[in-house]
Amino acid sequence: MEFLQRKQVKIGEKVPDFTLPSMDGKTCRLSDLLGHIVVIDWWSAECPASARYDAFFNSLLDSYAEKGVKLLAIDSNAIYDDDEIRRIMKARSIRFPILRDRGNKIADIFGAITTPHVFVLGPDASLAYEGAIDDQSWSNTKPTQNYLLQVLDALLAGKPSPFTFKEPFGCSVKRSWKT
């Protein structure tokens, strides 16, 4: 996986600033979210594993936004266009922002492999956690442990993340291999 050689994001280090367009026509700059805990989810319109979490992320948006947590989904897939993403957002009643990473430059900086693949940043934009949302897998569709909520609750309480990495599962990010 040659793209992993471009990974710049490491646990405990500040994440480089980036700007991406959102599907609602706005622009999102990571540095505008300093001071907040930020969850970044690599998302896909076509991946069934990613779709399993749409309702969870809508709920997270409701329950953690009032605590100051920001949620961003990023789609880096090169195999469909913005209209398809908008159609899927409407069909799945998605309320969280989806940013478009054409050319997968941000996915490469983060080393995002799957959809979903989450990254949690502390208020200073340092990476606190990366990996799976919970212990769900292709064969285990009923998770018993939610890693993401444990990480968020610890950070909100001013404590370190209880873990920094859990292996993500899902569909691969369908990269554009043009450089």
Side-chain angles (χ1 to χ4, degrees):
M1 291 189 216
E2 181 182 310
F3 69 89
L4 286 176
Q5 295 172 2
R6 293 188 286 274
K7 180 178 172 79
Q8 296 176 23
V9 174
K10 295 183 175 76
I11 295 295
E13 294 182 7
K14 291 191 188 226
V15 172
D17 194 19
F18 64 84
T19 301
L20 289 173
S22 68
M23 297 310 301
D24 64 3
K26 298 178 183 172
T27 300
C28 178
R29 181 184 315 275
L30 181 63
S31 58
D32 291 343
L33 303 176
L34 277 173
H36 297 277
I37 295 169
V38 178
V39 175
I40 301 174
D41 168 47
W42 252 265
W43 180 91
S44 170
E46 69 166 15
C47 175
S50 187
R52 286 184 192 177
Y53 291 100
D54 288 344
F56 168 78
F57 281 118
N58 276 339
S59 175
L60 184 83
L61 187 67
D62 294 336
S63 58
Y64 280 78
E66 65 190 32
K67 299 175 184 179
V69 174
K70 302 294 183 183
L71 170 63
L72 303 173
I74 298 178
D75 190 313
S76 299
N77 292 294
I79 58 175
Y80 45 79
D81 63 16
D82 293 357
D83 289 337
E84 177 69 4
I85 295 171
R86 286 186 195 93
R87 186 187 69 72
I88 294 295
M89 288 177 71
K90 184 176 180 181
R92 294 188 201 160
S93 301
I94 293 172
R95 293 182 285 110
F96 49 88
I98 296 179
L99 311 178
R100 194 70 161 123
D101 178 27
R102 292 175 189 85
N104 46 265
K105 290 178 177 64
I106 306 306
D108 290 355
I109 289 170
F110 274 81
I113 298 171
T114 62
T115 59
H117 189 161
V118 297
F119 296 80
V120 179
L121 286 52
D124 65 348
S126 62
L127 183 64
Y129 173 77
E130 117 170 57
I133 296 163
D134 54 31
D135 61 353
Q136 192 171 166
S137 66
W138 290 115
S139 59
N140 172 28
T141 59
K142 299 206 184 300
T144 59
Q145 189 174 173
N146 191 301
Y147 308 128
L148 178 57
L149 294 181
Q150 291 178 56
V151 168
L152 290 176
D153 290 342
L155 294 176
L156 287 167
K159 298 177 183 175
S161 177
F163 22 74
T164 56
F165 178 81
K166 294 287 184 178
E167 189 73 34
F169 96 97
C171 305
S172 63
V173 173
K174 307 299 188 271
R175 285 174 157 75
S176 169
W177 295 106
K178 296 175 186 176
T179 53

